[in-house]
Amino acid sequence: QITTRARAIQTSNGEMSTDFNAPIIYELPVIDRNTQQLVGLFTGITPPETALDVVRDPDRNRFFSTNGQAPTVNEWERDGVYDTEPFRNTAIRVMPNFGVGEMFVATAGQSPERGYNGGAWVNRLSRQGANSVHGDFFEFWSGDIMRARPYFSTVNPRFVYNQFGADVGTPVIPNKTFFFADYQGNYQNGGIGQLTTVPVPGAITGN
């Protein structure tokens, strides 16, 4: 037997918002475990995508348009504290997947305390410790061994992508003080094939 219930209609104000709890954040598949990608599940938001290279943006921030607004007018917060880079309006720090306990997204009708930008407001709450020791470890590996050779390439270019991390939470003073830490690393190395147009011998001699 399957049972469910409709979500209660929010009647206190006209805000359009939702929240992502821990099971959604941890279990939904995201290629690089970037929680910003989940924002695209909410209505009115275009598919989030990267726009800057790894050198300028090693955190791989996602850019998306909210209700037709420019991607640079979204606001990011972390634990209720302003966390938006002032020059390009990206998050100052992209939190690892297992470091986020809950994420709130509002796209229209935000209350005054939720910022002044015309785009989305995104607040990420840090995961907390508990009275028991808990932790996780993960590793994702992809390489040229498991990839098909490009159609126009005579060899399969070497490629290694490895994403790994861990988190741990423990009590310091039970019921009062807790400790939580997490780490995530990315390693990518290899080459790519490139298709280039080469002039025929006649073109080289000017014919």
Side-chain angles (χ1 to χ4, degrees):
Q1 181 181 3
I2 300 176
T3 60
T4 185
R5 62 183 180 85
R7 297 189 62 176
I9 298 177
Q10 199 273 109
T11 58
S12 60
N13 56 56
E15 181 178 86
M16 292 286 294
S17 61
T18 189
D19 65 288
F20 299 98
N21 54 25
I24 294 177
I25 296 173
Y26 305 154
E27 296 174 9
L28 284 181
V30 177
I31 183 62
D32 58 352
R33 304 176 66 86
N34 189 324
T35 53
Q36 292 184 356
Q37 193 71 33
L38 300 176
V39 176
L41 297 174
F42 194 53
T43 182
I45 293 179
T46 60
E49 57 183 15
T50 56
L52 303 174
D53 55 57
V54 178
V55 176
R56 290 184 296 169
D57 183 24
D59 276 340
R60 310 307 286 153
N61 274 280
R62 299 300 200 262
F63 289 80
F64 53 88
S65 175
T66 305
N67 299 327
Q69 299 294 321
T72 54
V73 297
N74 299 312
E75 181 179 335
W76 299 91
E77 292 188 3
R78 177 174 180 176
D79 296 319
V81 178
Y82 191 74
D83 188 45
T84 306
E85 204 275 338
F87 295 100
R88 58 192 184 198
N89 266 56
T90 59
I92 295 176
R93 178 75 176 98
V94 177
M95 301 170 64
N97 195 329
F98 279 120
V100 180
E102 198 167 2
M103 184 168 67
F104 296 89
V105 181
T107 60
Q110 294 96 320
S111 53
E113 69 271 13
R114 293 190 173 179
Y116 54 87
N117 288 342
W121 170 86
V122 184
N123 184 25
R124 300 146 298 157
L125 301 182
S126 301
R127 195 175 172 188
Q128 302 176 352
N131 280 327
S132 60
V133 179
H134 61 86
D136 299 279
F137 172 81
F138 70 89
E139 180 175 12
F140 172 79
W141 179 89
S142 178
D144 51 271
I145 299 176
M146 305 183 68
R147 287 172 170 247
R149 176 179 61 84
Y151 183 79
F152 293 103
S153 179
T154 57
V155 297
N156 197 5
R158 180 179 181 272
F159 177 81
V160 176
Y161 179 80
N162 188 22
Q163 188 175 46
F164 51 92
D167 64 84
V168 61
T170 182
V172 178
I173 302 176
N175 299 319
K176 291 185 178 181
T177 307
F178 308 96
F179 172 83
F180 180 83
D182 59 79
Y183 171 81
Q184 179 173 295
N186 296 277
Y187 173 81
Q188 181 174 333
N189 189 16
I192 58 174
Q194 185 173 1
L195 183 63
T196 304
T197 301
V198 179
V200 297
I204 296 177
T205 59
N207 186 4

Coordinates of all heavy atoms in Angstrom, one line a residue, residues 70-108:
A70 N 19.4 37.6 -15.1 CA 20.7 37.2 -15.5 C 21.3 36.2 -14.5 O 21.0 36.3 -13.3 CB 21.6 38.5 -15.6
P71 N 22.2 35.3 -14.9 CA 22.8 34.4 -13.9 C 23.6 35.0 -12.8 O 24.0 34.4 -11.8 CB 23.7 33.5 -14.8 CG 23.1 33.7 -16.2 CD 22.6 35.1 -16.2
T72 N 24.0 36.3 -13.0 CA 24.8 37.0 -12.0 C 24.0 37.7 -10.9 O 24.6 38.4 -10.1 CB 25.7 38.0 -12.7 OG1 24.9 38.9 -13.5 CG2 26.7 37.3 -13.6
V73 N 22.7 37.5 -10.8 CA 21.9 38.2 -9.8 C 21.4 37.2 -8.8 O 20.5 37.5 -8.0 CB 20.8 39.0 -10.4 CG1 21.3 40.1 -11.3 CG2 19.8 38.1 -11.2
N74 N 21.9 36.0 -8.7 CA 21.6 35.0 -7.7 C 22.4 35.3 -6.4 O 23.5 35.8 -6.5 CB 21.8 33.6 -8.1 CG 21.0 33.2 -9.4 OD1 19.8 33.5 -9.4 ND2 21.6 32.7 -10.4
E75 N 21.8 35.0 -5.3 CA 22.5 35.3 -4.0 C 22.8 34.0 -3.3 O 21.9 33.1 -3.2 CB 21.7 36.2 -3.1 CG 22.3 36.5 -1.8 CD 21.5 37.5 -0.9 OE1 20.7 38.2 -1.5 OE2 21.7 37.4 0.3
W76 N 24.0 33.8 -2.7 CA 24.4 32.6 -2.0 C 24.6 32.9 -0.5 O 25.3 34.0 -0.2 CB 25.6 32.0 -2.6 CG 25.5 31.6 -4.0 CD1 25.7 32.3 -5.2 CD2 25.0 30.3 -4.5 NE1 25.4 31.6 -6.3 CE2 25.0 30.4 -5.9 CE3 24.6 29.1 -3.9 CZ2 24.5 29.3 -6.7 CZ3 24.1 28.1 -4.6 CH2 24.1 28.1 -6.0
E77 N 24.1 32.1 0.3 CA 24.4 32.2 1.8 C 24.9 30.9 2.3 O 24.5 29.8 1.8 CB 23.2 32.7 2.5 CG 22.8 34.2 2.2 CD 21.7 34.7 3.1 OE1 21.3 33.9 4.0 OE2 21.3 35.9 2.9
R78 N 25.6 30.9 3.4 CA 26.0 29.7 4.1 C 25.7 29.9 5.6 O 26.2 30.8 6.2 CB 27.5 29.4 3.9 CG 28.0 28.2 4.7 CD 29.5 28.0 4.3 NE 30.0 26.8 5.1 CZ 31.2 26.3 4.9 NH1 32.0 26.8 4.0 NH2 31.5 25.2 5.6
D79 N 24.8 29.1 6.1 CA 24.4 29.1 7.5 C 23.8 30.5 7.8 O 24.0 31.1 8.9 CB 25.5 28.8 8.4 CG 26.0 27.4 8.3 OD1 25.1 26.5 8.1 OD2 27.2 27.1 8.3
G80 N 23.1 31.1 6.8 CA 22.5 32.4 7.0 C 23.5 33.6 6.8 O 23.1 34.7 7.0
V81 N 24.7 33.3 6.5 CA 25.7 34.4 6.3 C 26.0 34.6 4.9 O 26.1 33.7 4.1 CB 27.1 34.0 7.1 CG1 28.1 35.1 6.9 CG2 26.8 33.8 8.5
Y82 N 26.1 35.9 4.4 CA 26.3 36.2 3.0 C 27.6 35.6 2.5 O 28.7 35.7 3.1 CB 26.4 37.7 2.9 CG 26.4 38.3 1.5 CD1 25.2 38.3 0.8 CD2 27.6 38.7 0.9 CE1 25.2 38.8 -0.5 CE2 27.5 39.3 -0.4 CZ 26.3 39.3 -1.1 OH 26.3 39.8 -2.4
D83 N 27.5 34.8 1.4 CA 28.6 34.0 0.9 C 28.7 34.1 -0.6 O 28.9 33.2 -1.3 CB 28.4 32.5 1.3 CG 29.6 31.7 1.0 OD1 30.7 32.1 1.3 OD2 29.4 30.6 0.4
T84 N 28.5 35.4 -1.1 CA 28.5 35.6 -2.5 C 29.7 36.4 -2.9 O 30.0 37.5 -2.3 CB 27.2 36.4 -2.9 OG1 26.1 35.7 -2.4 CG2 27.1 36.6 -4.4
E85 N 30.5 36.0 -3.9 CA 31.6 36.6 -4.4 C 31.2 37.9 -5.1 O 30.3 37.9 -6.0 CB 32.4 35.7 -5.4 CG 33.8 36.0 -5.6 CD 34.0 37.1 -6.6 OE1 33.2 37.3 -7.5 OE2 35.1 37.8 -6.5
P86 N 31.7 39.1 -4.8 CA 31.1 40.4 -5.2 C 31.3 40.7 -6.7 O 30.6 41.5 -7.2 CB 31.8 41.4 -4.3 CG 33.1 40.8 -4.0 CD 32.9 39.3 -3.8
F87 N 32.3 40.1 -7.4 CA 32.6 40.5 -8.7 C 31.8 39.7 -9.8 O 31.5 40.2 -10.8 CB 34.1 40.4 -9.0 CG 34.9 41.4 -8.2 CD1 35.5 41.0 -7.1 CD2 34.9 42.8 -8.5 CE1 36.3 41.9 -6.3 CE2 35.6 43.6 -7.8 CZ 36.3 43.2 -6.6
R88 N 31.5 38.4 -9.5 CA 30.8 37.6 -10.5 C 29.6 36.9 -9.8 O 28.9 36.1 -10.5 CB 31.8 36.5 -11.0 CG 32.4 35.6 -10.0 CD 33.5 34.8 -10.6 NE 34.1 33.9 -9.6 CZ 35.3 33.3 -9.7 NH1 36.0 33.5 -10.8 NH2 35.7 32.4 -8.8
N89 N 29.3 37.2 -8.6 CA 28.1 36.7 -7.9 C 28.0 35.2 -7.9 O 27.0 34.6 -8.0 CB 26.9 37.3 -8.5 CG 26.4 38.5 -7.8 OD1 27.1 39.5 -7.7 ND2 25.2 38.5 -7.4
T90 N 29.1 34.5 -7.7 CA 29.1 33.1 -7.4 C 29.3 32.8 -5.9 O 29.7 33.8 -5.2 CB 30.3 32.4 -8.2 OG1 31.5 33.0 -7.8 CG2 30.1 32.6 -9.7
A91 N 29.2 31.6 -5.5 CA 29.4 31.3 -4.1 C 30.9 31.4 -3.8 O 31.7 31.0 -4.7 CB 28.9 29.9 -3.8
I92 N 31.3 31.9 -2.7 CA 32.7 32.0 -2.3 C 33.3 30.6 -2.1 O 34.4 30.3 -2.5 CB 32.9 32.9 -1.1 CG1 32.4 34.3 -1.4 CG2 34.3 32.8 -0.6 CD1 32.5 35.2 -0.2
R93 N 32.5 29.8 -1.5 CA 32.9 28.4 -1.3 C 31.8 27.4 -1.6 O 30.7 27.5 -1.1 CB 33.3 28.2 0.2 CG 33.8 26.8 0.6 CD 35.2 26.5 0.0 NE 35.6 25.2 0.5 CZ 35.6 24.1 -0.3 NH1 35.1 24.2 -1.5 NH2 36.0 23.0 0.2
V94 N 32.1 26.5 -2.5 CA 31.1 25.4 -2.8 C 31.4 24.3 -1.8 O 32.4 23.7 -1.8 CB 31.3 24.9 -4.3 CG1 30.4 23.8 -4.6 CG2 31.1 26.0 -5.3
M95 N 30.4 24.0 -1.0 CA 30.5 23.0 0.0 C 30.4 21.6 -0.5 O 29.6 21.3 -1.4 CB 29.4 23.2 1.1 CG 29.4 24.6 1.7 SD 28.0 25.0 2.7 CE 28.1 23.7 4.0
P96 N 31.2 20.7 0.0 CA 31.1 19.3 -0.4 C 29.8 18.7 -0.1 O 29.1 19.2 0.8 CB 32.2 18.6 0.4 CG 33.2 19.7 0.8 CD 32.3 20.9 0.9
N97 N 29.4 17.7 -0.9 CA 28.1 17.1 -0.8 C 27.8 16.7 0.6 O 26.7 17.0 1.2 CB 28.1 15.8 -1.7 CG 26.7 15.4 -2.0 OD1 25.8 15.5 -1.1 ND2 26.5 14.8 -3.1
F98 N 28.6 15.9 1.3 CA 28.4 15.4 2.6 C 28.5 16.5 3.7 O 28.3 16.2 4.9 CB 29.3 14.2 2.9 CG 28.8 12.9 2.4 CD1 29.5 12.2 1.5 CD2 27.5 12.5 2.7 CE1 29.1 11.0 1.0 CE2 27.0 11.3 2.2 CZ 27.8 10.5 1.3
G99 N 29.0 17.7 3.3 CA 29.1 18.8 4.3 C 27.8 19.6 4.4 O 27.8 20.5 5.3
V100 N 26.8 19.3 3.6 CA 25.6 20.1 3.6 C 24.5 19.3 4.3 O 24.2 18.2 3.8 CB 25.2 20.5 2.2 CG1 23.9 21.3 2.2 CG2 26.3 21.3 1.5
G101 N 23.9 19.8 5.3 CA 22.8 19.1 6.0 C 21.4 19.5 5.4 O 20.5 18.6 5.4
E102 N 21.3 20.7 4.8 CA 20.0 21.1 4.3 C 20.3 22.3 3.4 O 21.2 23.1 3.6 CB 19.0 21.4 5.4 CG 17.6 21.5 4.9 CD 16.6 21.5 6.1 OE1 17.1 21.6 7.3 OE2 15.4 21.5 5.9
M103 N 19.4 22.5 2.4 CA 19.6 23.6 1.4 C 18.3 24.2 1.1 O 17.3 23.5 0.8 CB 20.3 23.1 0.2 CG 20.6 24.3 -0.8 SD 21.8 23.8 -2.1 CE 20.7 22.6 -3.0
F104 N 18.1 25.5 1.3 CA 16.9 26.2 1.0 C 17.1 27.1 -0.3 O 18.1 27.7 -0.5 CB 16.5 27.2 2.1 CG 16.2 26.4 3.4 CD1 17.2 26.2 4.3 CD2 14.9 26.0 3.7 CE1 17.0 25.5 5.5 CE2 14.7 25.4 4.9 CZ 15.7 25.1 5.8
V105 N 16.0 27.1 -1.1 CA 16.0 27.8 -2.4 C 14.8 28.6 -2.5 O 13.7 28.1 -2.3 CB 16.2 26.9 -3.6 CG1 16.2 27.7 -4.9 CG2 17.4 26.0 -3.5
A106 N 14.9 29.9 -2.7 CA 13.7 30.8 -3.0 C 13.9 31.5 -4.3 O 15.0 32.0 -4.5 CB 13.5 31.8 -1.8
T107 N 12.9 31.6 -5.1 CA 13.0 32.1 -6.4 C 12.2 33.4 -6.7 O 12.4 34.1 -7.7 CB 12.7 31.1 -7.5 OG1 11.4 30.7 -7.3 CG2 13.7 29.9 -7.4
A108 N 11.2 33.6 -5.8 CA 10.3 34.8 -6.1 C 9.6 35.2 -4.7 O 9.4 34.3 -3.9 CB 9.2 34.5 -7.1

